Amino acid sequence: MNEKLAKAELKVREAYQKYVKASQECARVKNKLVEEFLKLFINDIEKLPIIDIVEDVITYQLNDKLNQVLRGTFGNLCFDIEDYVKSLDISISVCGEQIRVYYHNKGDALVSFGRFAEADECFRKALEFNPEDVVFRTSHAKMLARDGKFREADEIMDAICKEEPRGPEPWFTRAEFLSAAGKHEAALKYYYVVRELSPGHSVSHFNCGNILSKLGRYEEAVECYNKALKYEKTMTGAMNNKGLALSCLGDHKEAYDCFRRVLIAQPNNPDALFNKGYELSKLERYDEAVQAFDACLSVAKDRDLIERAREEKASAMQNSTK
């Protein structure tokens, strides 16, 4: 155990050294929170119990910057995946009353790395220590749903919703499970509950739009996408799907405008380029449509999309000569 603790302490010192190097190379890495956190350990390393060091290292790894770490923004600073999970193992072995929290945190980390079976094992261990914890139960339910055990997952979320009827997130999670199970009408009911509890919950509006589109209720879907965009103007998925719904309604001019807006934010989005070309063809602007399909073909990797783009391009070229 002493050897493991010594390694943990070394990791902290190495992390600080990597931070100093990274901060010199990239000014964006100069985050005051990270700097104060790491300097605290270097200045007081001898005064702090080793468990505090391990605990805070893990807390840092699981804070809001985890997504940035995974995207590489702080790649020079964080441990690699195996070292990170090992550091969580150290914390579990030396942290008495906090053991349930660390099992859950390790599960969260494993989910981020796509190791779902190991993650659920950790969530189950956390539940052994506190079977009533809402966060632990929700995490376990998500793993059940991922395995296709929607009924068991929904039973857990149903109990949580009854315990916390005013919290939007349990209702949202339950709606996601039902939607994944193909129970669209039931999912809609719970998304509507989320919207009542939290009107600005943009993802609920977006998901409602997607379900309504699947059900062929395109006008209602457009209304949902508009609400999603009201609360999150940069949600390109909502703008794109709004365009698809408008196209199904025959409003090709407005649909084209949606895809044009998506491409302002994501100029190399192959689906948006294809959809733009399709709408231009419907508007009989065939030369522009051909250009859009060419742009789509230059970036697309999906075989089905490539085949469709080729077919639509050929059709547009043929129509342009008439």
mmCIF file of all heavy atoms in Angstrom, residues 269-318:
data_model
loop_
_atom_site.group_PDB
_atom_site.id
_atom_site.type_symbol
_atom_site.label_atom_id
_atom_site.label_comp_id
_atom_site.label_asym_id
_atom_site.label_seq_id
_atom_site.Cartn_x
_atom_site.Cartn_y
_atom_site.Cartn_z
ATOM 1 N N ASN A 269 -20.514 19.771 -43.043
ATOM 2 C CA ASN A 269 -21.471 18.761 -42.588
ATOM 3 C C ASN A 269 -22.053 18.051 -43.814
ATOM 4 O O ASN A 269 -22.812 18.660 -44.576
ATOM 5 C CB ASN A 269 -22.579 19.443 -41.785
ATOM 6 C CG ASN A 269 -23.571 18.464 -41.201
ATOM 7 O OD1 ASN A 269 -24.013 17.532 -41.859
ATOM 8 N ND2 ASN A 269 -23.960 18.686 -39.959
ATOM 9 N N PRO A 270 -21.711 16.774 -44.039
ATOM 10 C CA PRO A 270 -22.147 16.106 -45.279
ATOM 11 C C PRO A 270 -23.659 15.961 -45.395
ATOM 12 O O PRO A 270 -24.210 16.097 -46.501
ATOM 13 C CB PRO A 270 -21.454 14.740 -45.205
ATOM 14 C CG PRO A 270 -21.150 14.535 -43.752
ATOM 15 C CD PRO A 270 -20.904 15.888 -43.180
ATOM 16 N N ASP A 271 -24.342 15.704 -44.284
ATOM 17 C CA ASP A 271 -25.800 15.568 -44.346
ATOM 18 C C ASP A 271 -26.457 16.893 -44.713
ATOM 19 O O ASP A 271 -27.396 16.928 -45.519
ATOM 20 C CB ASP A 271 -26.333 15.065 -43.003
ATOM 21 C CG ASP A 271 -25.907 13.635 -42.720
ATOM 22 O OD1 ASP A 271 -26.130 12.774 -43.577
ATOM 23 O OD2 ASP A 271 -25.344 13.388 -41.641
ATOM 24 N N ALA A 272 -25.980 17.983 -44.113
ATOM 25 C CA ALA A 272 -26.549 19.295 -44.421
ATOM 26 C C ALA A 272 -26.273 19.683 -45.865
ATOM 27 O O ALA A 272 -27.126 20.291 -46.535
ATOM 28 C CB ALA A 272 -25.987 20.346 -43.464
ATOM 29 N N LEU A 273 -25.093 19.335 -46.369
ATOM 30 C CA LEU A 273 -24.779 19.623 -47.774
ATOM 31 C C LEU A 273 -25.703 18.841 -48.711
ATOM 32 O O LEU A 273 -26.197 19.386 -49.707
ATOM 33 C CB LEU A 273 -23.316 19.268 -48.058
ATOM 34 C CG LEU A 273 -22.277 20.231 -47.469
ATOM 35 C CD1 LEU A 273 -20.885 19.610 -47.518
ATOM 36 C CD2 LEU A 273 -22.290 21.564 -48.217
ATOM 37 N N PHE A 274 -25.937 17.573 -48.364
ATOM 38 C CA PHE A 274 -26.873 16.778 -49.178
ATOM 39 C C PHE A 274 -28.269 17.379 -49.125
ATOM 40 O O PHE A 274 -28.931 17.539 -50.169
ATOM 41 C CB PHE A 274 -26.912 15.337 -48.680
ATOM 42 C CG PHE A 274 -27.954 14.501 -49.375
ATOM 43 C CD1 PHE A 274 -27.663 13.867 -50.573
ATOM 44 C CD2 PHE A 274 -29.238 14.372 -48.852
ATOM 45 C CE1 PHE A 274 -28.634 13.119 -51.238
ATOM 46 C CE2 PHE A 274 -30.214 13.631 -49.504
ATOM 47 C CZ PHE A 274 -29.906 12.993 -50.704
ATOM 48 N N ASN A 275 -28.727 17.707 -47.915
ATOM 49 C CA ASN A 275 -30.077 18.258 -47.769
ATOM 50 C C ASN A 275 -30.214 19.591 -48.499
ATOM 51 O O ASN A 275 -31.259 19.883 -49.074
ATOM 52 C CB ASN A 275 -30.402 18.427 -46.281
ATOM 53 C CG ASN A 275 -30.541 17.091 -45.575
ATOM 54 O OD1 ASN A 275 -30.897 16.089 -46.184
ATOM 55 N ND2 ASN A 275 -30.240 17.071 -44.287
ATOM 56 N N LYS A 276 -29.165 20.400 -48.450
ATOM 57 C CA LYS A 276 -29.183 21.670 -49.187
ATOM 58 C C LYS A 276 -29.353 21.406 -50.683
ATOM 59 O O LYS A 276 -30.168 22.052 -51.353
ATOM 60 C CB LYS A 276 -27.884 22.438 -48.926
ATOM 61 C CG LYS A 276 -27.761 23.729 -49.723
ATOM 62 C CD LYS A 276 -26.393 24.372 -49.514
ATOM 63 C CE LYS A 276 -26.202 25.600 -50.384
ATOM 64 N NZ LYS A 276 -24.838 26.190 -50.220
ATOM 65 N N GLY A 277 -28.575 20.440 -51.193
ATOM 66 C CA GLY A 277 -28.693 20.104 -52.606
ATOM 67 C C GLY A 277 -30.079 19.601 -52.964
ATOM 68 O O GLY A 277 -30.645 19.963 -53.999
ATOM 69 N N TYR A 278 -30.647 18.781 -52.100
ATOM 70 C CA TYR A 278 -31.981 18.233 -52.338
ATOM 71 C C TYR A 278 -33.026 19.341 -52.422
ATOM 72 O O TYR A 278 -33.879 19.354 -53.324
ATOM 73 C CB TYR A 278 -32.336 17.244 -51.234
ATOM 74 C CG TYR A 278 -33.697 16.607 -51.394
ATOM 75 C CD1 TYR A 278 -33.871 15.510 -52.228
ATOM 76 C CD2 TYR A 278 -34.810 17.112 -50.718
ATOM 77 C CE1 TYR A 278 -35.126 14.930 -52.390
ATOM 78 C CE2 TYR A 278 -36.060 16.537 -50.867
ATOM 79 C CZ TYR A 278 -36.219 15.447 -51.705
ATOM 80 O OH TYR A 278 -37.451 14.882 -51.867
ATOM 81 N N GLU A 279 -32.956 20.286 -51.471
ATOM 82 C CA GLU A 279 -33.934 21.383 -51.465
ATOM 83 C C GLU A 279 -33.743 22.295 -52.675
ATOM 84 O O GLU A 279 -34.714 22.795 -53.246
ATOM 85 C CB GLU A 279 -33.827 22.186 -50.169
ATOM 86 C CG GLU A 279 -34.097 21.380 -48.914
ATOM 87 C CD GLU A 279 -35.405 20.608 -48.950
ATOM 88 O OE1 GLU A 279 -36.409 21.145 -49.466
ATOM 89 O OE2 GLU A 279 -35.425 19.462 -48.459
ATOM 90 N N LEU A 280 -32.488 22.530 -53.076
ATOM 91 C CA LEU A 280 -32.239 23.346 -54.268
ATOM 92 C C LEU A 280 -32.825 22.680 -55.512
ATOM 93 O O LEU A 280 -33.361 23.353 -56.402
ATOM 94 C CB LEU A 280 -30.736 23.572 -54.437
ATOM 95 C CG LEU A 280 -30.106 24.570 -53.458
ATOM 96 C CD1 LEU A 280 -28.590 24.480 -53.499
ATOM 97 C CD2 LEU A 280 -30.567 25.997 -53.778
ATOM 98 N N SER A 281 -32.736 21.352 -55.582
ATOM 99 C CA SER A 281 -33.359 20.633 -56.701
ATOM 100 C C SER A 281 -34.865 20.816 -56.694
ATOM 101 O O SER A 281 -35.495 21.030 -57.747
ATOM 102 C CB SER A 281 -33.015 19.143 -56.628
ATOM 103 O OG SER A 281 -31.666 18.904 -56.937
ATOM 104 N N LYS A 282 -35.464 20.731 -55.512
ATOM 105 C CA LYS A 282 -36.907 20.930 -55.399
ATOM 106 C C LYS A 282 -37.304 22.348 -55.798
ATOM 107 O O LYS A 282 -38.420 22.582 -56.292
ATOM 108 C CB LYS A 282 -37.369 20.641 -53.962
ATOM 109 C CG LYS A 282 -37.313 19.174 -53.566
ATOM 110 C CD LYS A 282 -38.306 18.355 -54.381
ATOM 111 C CE LYS A 282 -38.329 16.904 -53.959
ATOM 112 N NZ LYS A 282 -39.322 16.096 -54.739
ATOM 113 N N LEU A 283 -36.394 23.289 -55.589
ATOM 114 C CA LEU A 283 -36.651 24.688 -55.969
ATOM 115 C C LEU A 283 -36.241 24.964 -57.418
ATOM 116 O O LEU A 283 -36.271 26.122 -57.858
ATOM 117 C CB LEU A 283 -35.893 25.630 -55.027
ATOM 118 C CG LEU A 283 -36.352 25.613 -53.559
ATOM 119 C CD1 LEU A 283 -35.368 26.378 -52.686
ATOM 120 C CD2 LEU A 283 -37.750 26.209 -53.435
ATOM 121 N N GLU A 284 -35.820 23.896 -58.112
ATOM 122 C CA GLU A 284 -35.411 23.952 -59.520
ATOM 123 C C GLU A 284 -34.180 24.824 -59.743
ATOM 124 O O GLU A 284 -33.978 25.393 -60.815
ATOM 125 C CB GLU A 284 -36.585 24.427 -60.410
ATOM 126 C CG GLU A 284 -37.784 23.492 -60.332
ATOM 127 C CD GLU A 284 -38.922 23.907 -61.254
ATOM 128 O OE1 GLU A 284 -38.794 24.952 -61.928
ATOM 129 O OE2 GLU A 284 -39.930 23.189 -61.295
ATOM 130 N N ARG A 285 -33.332 24.883 -58.750
ATOM 131 C CA ARG A 285 -32.051 25.597 -58.866
ATOM 132 C C ARG A 285 -30.968 24.516 -59.037
ATOM 133 O O ARG A 285 -30.165 24.253 -58.159
ATOM 134 C CB ARG A 285 -31.811 26.459 -57.633
ATOM 135 C CG ARG A 285 -32.832 27.588 -57.508
ATOM 136 C CD ARG A 285 -32.926 28.193 -56.119
ATOM 137 N NE ARG A 285 -31.658 28.721 -55.611
ATOM 138 C CZ ARG A 285 -31.545 29.306 -54.414
ATOM 139 N NH1 ARG A 285 -32.615 29.437 -53.620
ATOM 140 N NH2 ARG A 285 -30.367 29.754 -54.015
ATOM 141 N N TYR A 286 -30.995 23.902 -60.215
ATOM 142 C CA TYR A 286 -30.265 22.659 -60.418
ATOM 143 C C TYR A 286 -28.742 22.832 -60.406
ATOM 144 O O TYR A 286 -28.016 21.977 -59.893
ATOM 145 C CB TYR A 286 -30.718 22.008 -61.727
ATOM 146 C CG TYR A 286 -32.184 21.654 -61.722
ATOM 147 C CD1 TYR A 286 -33.072 22.270 -62.614
ATOM 148 C CD2 TYR A 286 -32.693 20.713 -60.823
ATOM 149 C CE1 TYR A 286 -34.424 21.952 -62.606
ATOM 150 C CE2 TYR A 286 -34.050 20.389 -60.812
ATOM 151 C CZ TYR A 286 -34.906 21.024 -61.705
ATOM 152 O OH TYR A 286 -36.245 20.716 -61.688
ATOM 153 N N ASP A 287 -28.233 23.908 -61.003
ATOM 154 C CA ASP A 287 -26.777 24.109 -61.014
ATOM 155 C C ASP A 287 -26.227 24.254 -59.595
ATOM 156 O O ASP A 287 -25.168 23.693 -59.266
ATOM 157 C CB ASP A 287 -26.422 25.346 -61.844
ATOM 158 C CG ASP A 287 -26.689 25.134 -63.333
ATOM 159 O OD1 ASP A 287 -26.747 23.961 -63.760
ATOM 160 O OD2 ASP A 287 -26.835 26.130 -64.067
ATOM 161 N N GLU A 288 -26.947 25.000 -58.764
ATOM 162 C CA GLU A 288 -26.533 25.149 -57.370
ATOM 163 C C GLU A 288 -26.645 23.819 -56.627
ATOM 164 O O GLU A 288 -25.821 23.502 -55.753
ATOM 165 C CB GLU A 288 -27.392 26.205 -56.672
ATOM 166 C CG GLU A 288 -27.207 27.614 -57.194
ATOM 167 C CD GLU A 288 -28.201 28.566 -56.555
ATOM 168 O OE1 GLU A 288 -27.987 28.971 -55.389
ATOM 169 O OE2 GLU A 288 -29.207 28.883 -57.221
ATOM 170 N N ALA A 289 -27.667 23.044 -56.997
ATOM 171 C CA ALA A 289 -27.842 21.735 -56.373
ATOM 172 C C ALA A 289 -26.657 20.831 -56.680
ATOM 173 O O ALA A 289 -26.140 20.134 -55.794
ATOM 174 C CB ALA A 289 -29.139 21.090 -56.850
ATOM 175 N N VAL A 290 -26.213 20.839 -57.926
ATOM 176 C CA VAL A 290 -25.061 20.022 -58.320
ATOM 177 C C VAL A 290 -23.832 20.411 -57.503
ATOM 178 O O VAL A 290 -23.074 19.549 -57.035
ATOM 179 C CB VAL A 290 -24.779 20.172 -59.831
ATOM 180 C CG1 VAL A 290 -23.438 19.534 -60.191
ATOM 181 C CG2 VAL A 290 -25.896 19.532 -60.643
ATOM 182 N N GLN A 291 -23.617 21.705 -57.305
ATOM 183 C CA GLN A 291 -22.486 22.166 -56.502
ATOM 184 C C GLN A 291 -22.570 21.656 -55.063
ATOM 185 O O GLN A 291 -21.568 21.252 -54.468
ATOM 186 C CB GLN A 291 -22.438 23.696 -56.514
ATOM 187 C CG GLN A 291 -22.097 24.294 -57.873
ATOM 188 C CD GLN A 291 -22.135 25.811 -57.861
ATOM 189 O OE1 GLN A 291 -22.285 26.441 -56.812
ATOM 190 N NE2 GLN A 291 -22.003 26.414 -59.038
ATOM 191 N N ALA A 292 -23.792 21.681 -54.521
ATOM 192 C CA ALA A 292 -23.980 21.200 -53.146
ATOM 193 C C ALA A 292 -23.706 19.700 -53.050
ATOM 194 O O ALA A 292 -23.062 19.227 -52.098
ATOM 195 C CB ALA A 292 -25.400 21.509 -52.675
ATOM 196 N N PHE A 293 -24.170 18.934 -54.044
ATOM 197 C CA PHE A 293 -23.923 17.492 -54.028
ATOM 198 C C PHE A 293 -22.436 17.184 -54.199
ATOM 199 O O PHE A 293 -21.904 16.246 -53.582
ATOM 200 C CB PHE A 293 -24.751 16.793 -55.112
ATOM 201 C CG PHE A 293 -26.228 16.772 -54.833
ATOM 202 C CD1 PHE A 293 -27.140 17.207 -55.797
ATOM 203 C CD2 PHE A 293 -26.720 16.331 -53.614
ATOM 204 C CE1 PHE A 293 -28.511 17.191 -55.543
ATOM 205 C CE2 PHE A 293 -28.088 16.312 -53.351
ATOM 206 C CZ PHE A 293 -28.982 16.751 -54.317
ATOM 207 N N ASP A 294 -21.754 17.981 -55.037
ATOM 208 C CA ASP A 294 -20.301 17.807 -55.182
ATOM 209 C C ASP A 294 -19.595 18.054 -53.853
ATOM 210 O O ASP A 294 -18.673 17.322 -53.472
ATOM 211 C CB ASP A 294 -19.762 18.776 -56.247
ATOM 212 C CG ASP A 294 -19.962 18.246 -57.654
ATOM 213 O OD1 ASP A 294 -20.075 17.016 -57.811
ATOM 214 O OD2 ASP A 294 -19.997 19.068 -58.599
ATOM 215 N N ALA A 295 -20.029 19.102 -53.157
ATOM 216 C CA ALA A 295 -19.434 19.417 -51.851
ATOM 217 C C ALA A 295 -19.689 18.287 -50.863
ATOM 218 O O ALA A 295 -18.811 17.922 -50.071
ATOM 219 C CB ALA A 295 -20.000 20.728 -51.317
ATOM 220 N N CYS A 296 -20.886 17.726 -50.921
ATOM 221 C CA CYS A 296 -21.228 16.597 -50.051
ATOM 222 C C CYS A 296 -20.324 15.406 -50.353
ATOM 223 O O CYS A 296 -19.764 14.782 -49.441
ATOM 224 C CB CYS A 296 -22.695 16.220 -50.244
ATOM 225 S SG CYS A 296 -23.191 14.692 -49.405
ATOM 226 N N LEU A 297 -20.144 15.098 -51.626
ATOM 227 C CA LEU A 297 -19.334 13.950 -52.016
ATOM 228 C C LEU A 297 -17.863 14.123 -51.647
ATOM 229 O O LEU A 297 -17.148 13.138 -51.440
ATOM 230 C CB LEU A 297 -19.460 13.719 -53.528
ATOM 231 C CG LEU A 297 -20.823 13.170 -53.990
ATOM 232 C CD1 LEU A 297 -20.963 13.279 -55.492
ATOM 233 C CD2 LEU A 297 -20.982 11.721 -53.541
ATOM 234 N N SER A 298 -17.421 15.370 -51.535
ATOM 235 C CA SER A 298 -16.014 15.618 -51.197
ATOM 236 C C SER A 298 -15.703 15.349 -49.724
ATOM 237 O O SER A 298 -14.534 15.166 -49.366
ATOM 238 C CB SER A 298 -15.639 17.066 -51.549
ATOM 239 O OG SER A 298 -16.262 17.978 -50.665
ATOM 240 N N VAL A 299 -16.740 15.328 -48.888
ATOM 241 C CA VAL A 299 -16.499 15.132 -47.442
ATOM 242 C C VAL A 299 -17.210 13.908 -46.870
ATOM 243 O O VAL A 299 -16.874 13.447 -45.772
ATOM 244 C CB VAL A 299 -16.926 16.387 -46.632
ATOM 245 C CG1 VAL A 299 -16.055 17.575 -47.000
ATOM 246 C CG2 VAL A 299 -18.399 16.713 -46.827
ATOM 247 N N ALA A 300 -18.187 13.367 -47.593
ATOM 248 C CA ALA A 300 -18.983 12.249 -47.058
ATOM 249 C C ALA A 300 -18.159 10.966 -46.988
ATOM 250 O O ALA A 300 -17.320 10.700 -47.850
ATOM 251 C CB ALA A 300 -20.226 12.031 -47.912
ATOM 252 N N LYS A 301 -18.429 10.171 -45.940
ATOM 253 C CA LYS A 301 -17.771 8.883 -45.774
ATOM 254 C C LYS A 301 -18.777 7.738 -45.737
ATOM 255 O O LYS A 301 -18.422 6.583 -45.973
ATOM 256 C CB LYS A 301 -16.932 8.884 -44.493
ATOM 257 C CG LYS A 301 -15.777 9.877 -44.535
ATOM 258 C CD LYS A 301 -14.944 9.818 -43.264
ATOM 259 C CE LYS A 301 -13.782 10.799 -43.335
ATOM 260 N NZ LYS A 301 -12.941 10.769 -42.099
ATOM 261 N N ASP A 302 -20.032 8.073 -45.409
ATOM 262 C CA ASP A 302 -21.079 7.057 -45.347
ATOM 263 C C ASP A 302 -21.447 6.597 -46.760
ATOM 264 O O ASP A 302 -21.768 7.423 -47.626
ATOM 265 C CB ASP A 302 -22.316 7.625 -44.632
ATOM 266 C CG ASP A 302 -23.426 6.609 -44.525
ATOM 267 O OD1 ASP A 302 -23.362 5.755 -43.624
ATOM 268 O OD2 ASP A 302 -24.359 6.669 -45.357
ATOM 269 N N ARG A 303 -21.398 5.303 -46.985
ATOM 270 C CA ARG A 303 -21.629 4.784 -48.341
ATOM 271 C C ARG A 303 -23.028 5.075 -48.847
ATOM 272 O O ARG A 303 -23.222 5.410 -50.025
ATOM 273 C CB ARG A 303 -21.367 3.276 -48.362
ATOM 274 C CG ARG A 303 -19.896 2.906 -48.188
ATOM 275 C CD ARG A 303 -19.693 1.406 -48.314
ATOM 276 N NE ARG A 303 -18.286 1.045 -48.171
ATOM 277 C CZ ARG A 303 -17.824 -0.197 -48.240
ATOM 278 N NH1 ARG A 303 -18.675 -1.202 -48.449
ATOM 279 N NH2 ARG A 303 -16.533 -0.442 -48.100
ATOM 280 N N ASP A 304 -24.011 4.929 -47.979
ATOM 281 C CA ASP A 304 -25.388 5.194 -48.401
ATOM 282 C C ASP A 304 -25.566 6.651 -48.799
ATOM 283 O O ASP A 304 -26.222 6.959 -49.810
ATOM 284 C CB ASP A 304 -26.363 4.838 -47.274
ATOM 285 C CG ASP A 304 -26.459 3.335 -47.042
ATOM 286 O OD1 ASP A 304 -26.133 2.576 -47.977
ATOM 287 O OD2 ASP A 304 -26.862 2.927 -45.942
ATOM 288 N N LEU A 305 -24.992 7.554 -48.005
ATOM 289 C CA LEU A 305 -25.094 8.980 -48.326
ATOM 290 C C LEU A 305 -24.386 9.286 -49.637
ATOM 291 O O LEU A 305 -24.897 10.060 -50.459
ATOM 292 C CB LEU A 305 -24.502 9.813 -47.193
ATOM 293 C CG LEU A 305 -24.559 11.345 -47.378
ATOM 294 C CD1 LEU A 305 -26.006 11.822 -47.498
ATOM 295 C CD2 LEU A 305 -23.862 12.056 -46.217
ATOM 296 N N ILE A 306 -23.228 8.686 -49.863
ATOM 297 C CA ILE A 306 -22.494 8.902 -51.116
ATOM 298 C C ILE A 306 -23.316 8.440 -52.309
ATOM 299 O O ILE A 306 -23.416 9.139 -53.325
ATOM 300 C CB ILE A 306 -21.138 8.156 -51.073
ATOM 301 C CG1 ILE A 306 -20.203 8.825 -50.051
ATOM 302 C CG2 ILE A 306 -20.489 8.123 -52.455
ATOM 303 C CD1 ILE A 306 -18.934 8.048 -49.783
ATOM 304 N N GLU A 307 -23.933 7.265 -52.184
ATOM 305 C CA GLU A 307 -24.751 6.735 -53.286
ATOM 306 C C GLU A 307 -25.950 7.644 -53.563
ATOM 307 O O GLU A 307 -26.265 7.944 -54.723
ATOM 308 C CB GLU A 307 -25.218 5.320 -52.944
ATOM 309 C CG GLU A 307 -25.955 4.622 -54.067
ATOM 310 C CD GLU A 307 -25.103 4.424 -55.312
ATOM 311 O OE1 GLU A 307 -23.872 4.290 -55.180
ATOM 312 O OE2 GLU A 307 -25.679 4.414 -56.421
ATOM 313 N N ARG A 308 -26.612 8.099 -52.503
ATOM 314 C CA ARG A 308 -27.765 8.995 -52.678
ATOM 315 C C ARG A 308 -27.345 10.315 -53.304
ATOM 316 O O ARG A 308 -28.047 10.861 -54.169
ATOM 317 C CB ARG A 308 -28.434 9.237 -51.322
ATOM 318 C CG ARG A 308 -29.177 8.038 -50.775
ATOM 319 C CD ARG A 308 -29.501 8.230 -49.306
ATOM 320 N NE ARG A 308 -30.286 9.427 -49.073
ATOM 321 C CZ ARG A 308 -30.286 10.121 -47.946
ATOM 322 N NH1 ARG A 308 -29.496 9.740 -46.936
ATOM 323 N NH2 ARG A 308 -31.044 11.185 -47.811
ATOM 324 N N ALA A 309 -26.198 10.842 -52.871
ATOM 325 C CA ALA A 309 -25.719 12.115 -53.422
ATOM 326 C C ALA A 309 -25.411 11.976 -54.912
ATOM 327 O O ALA A 309 -25.708 12.882 -55.710
ATOM 328 C CB ALA A 309 -24.488 12.583 -52.653
ATOM 329 N N ARG A 310 -24.832 10.859 -55.290
ATOM 330 C CA ARG A 310 -24.532 10.627 -56.714
ATOM 331 C C ARG A 310 -25.805 10.556 -57.536
ATOM 332 O O ARG A 310 -25.894 11.121 -58.634
ATOM 333 C CB ARG A 310 -23.727 9.336 -56.869
ATOM 334 C CG ARG A 310 -22.268 9.461 -56.432
ATOM 335 C CD ARG A 310 -21.574 8.117 -56.451
ATOM 336 N NE ARG A 310 -20.157 8.248 -56.112
ATOM 337 C CZ ARG A 310 -19.372 7.220 -55.813
ATOM 338 N NH1 ARG A 310 -19.862 5.976 -55.799
ATOM 339 N NH2 ARG A 310 -18.105 7.417 -55.516
ATOM 340 N N GLU A 311 -26.803 9.853 -57.013
ATOM 341 C CA GLU A 311 -28.074 9.730 -57.725
ATOM 342 C C GLU A 311 -28.762 11.081 -57.866
ATOM 343 O O GLU A 311 -29.262 11.433 -58.957
ATOM 344 C CB GLU A 311 -28.987 8.748 -56.991
ATOM 345 C CG GLU A 311 -28.510 7.308 -57.035
ATOM 346 C CD GLU A 311 -29.390 6.387 -56.210
ATOM 347 O OE1 GLU A 311 -30.373 6.874 -55.593
ATOM 348 O OE2 GLU A 311 -29.105 5.174 -56.157
ATOM 349 N N GLU A 312 -28.798 11.842 -56.767
ATOM 350 C CA GLU A 312 -29.462 13.151 -56.817
ATOM 351 C C GLU A 312 -28.692 14.133 -57.705
ATOM 352 O O GLU A 312 -29.288 14.965 -58.389
ATOM 353 C CB GLU A 312 -29.595 13.723 -55.405
ATOM 354 C CG GLU A 312 -30.573 12.976 -54.514
ATOM 355 C CD GLU A 312 -32.011 13.081 -55.000
ATOM 356 O OE1 GLU A 312 -32.329 14.017 -55.757
ATOM 357 O OE2 GLU A 312 -32.819 12.205 -54.614
ATOM 358 N N LYS A 313 -27.379 14.029 -57.698
ATOM 359 C CA LYS A 313 -26.571 14.895 -58.563
ATOM 360 C C LYS A 313 -26.871 14.598 -60.028
ATOM 361 O O LYS A 313 -27.050 15.515 -60.850
ATOM 362 C CB LYS A 313 -25.082 14.688 -58.277
ATOM 363 C CG LYS A 313 -24.173 15.485 -59.216
ATOM 364 C CD LYS A 313 -22.706 15.145 -59.001
ATOM 365 C CE LYS A 313 -21.829 15.835 -60.042
ATOM 366 N NZ LYS A 313 -20.393 15.486 -59.890
ATOM 367 N N ALA A 314 -26.917 13.312 -60.369
ATOM 368 C CA ALA A 314 -27.216 12.921 -61.756
ATOM 369 C C ALA A 314 -28.590 13.434 -62.173
ATOM 370 O O ALA A 314 -28.770 13.929 -63.298
ATOM 371 C CB ALA A 314 -27.139 11.403 -61.886
ATOM 372 N N SER A 315 -29.564 13.307 -61.262
ATOM 373 C CA SER A 315 -30.913 13.804 -61.557
ATOM 374 C C SER A 315 -30.923 15.312 -61.768
ATOM 375 O O SER A 315 -31.564 15.824 -62.691
ATOM 376 C CB SER A 315 -31.860 13.419 -60.432
ATOM 377 O OG SER A 315 -33.161 13.913 -60.644
ATOM 378 N N ALA A 316 -30.185 16.039 -60.907
ATOM 379 C CA ALA A 316 -30.134 17.499 -61.030
ATOM 380 C C ALA A 316 -29.463 17.914 -62.335
ATOM 381 O O ALA A 316 -29.904 18.871 -62.995
ATOM 382 C CB ALA A 316 -29.391 18.086 -59.838
ATOM 383 N N MET A 317 -28.391 17.193 -62.717
ATOM 384 C CA MET A 317 -27.690 17.507 -63.974
ATOM 385 C C MET A 317 -28.594 17.272 -65.170
ATOM 386 O O MET A 317 -28.614 18.049 -66.135
ATOM 387 C CB MET A 317 -26.425 16.662 -64.089
ATOM 388 C CG MET A 317 -25.349 17.030 -63.075
ATOM 389 S SD MET A 317 -23.894 15.960 -63.147
ATOM 390 C CE MET A 317 -23.233 16.425 -64.766
ATOM 391 N N GLN A 318 -29.367 16.189 -65.102
ATOM 392 C CA GLN A 318 -30.290 15.885 -66.183
ATOM 393 C C GLN A 318 -31.376 16.951 -66.284
ATOM 394 O O GLN A 318 -31.713 17.410 -67.386
ATOM 395 C CB GLN A 318 -30.921 14.517 -65.956
ATOM 396 C CG GLN A 318 -31.815 14.058 -67.100
ATOM 397 C CD GLN A 318 -32.377 12.666 -66.870
ATOM 398 O OE1 GLN A 318 -32.233 12.110 -65.785
ATOM 399 N NE2 GLN A 318 -33.007 12.095 -67.876
#
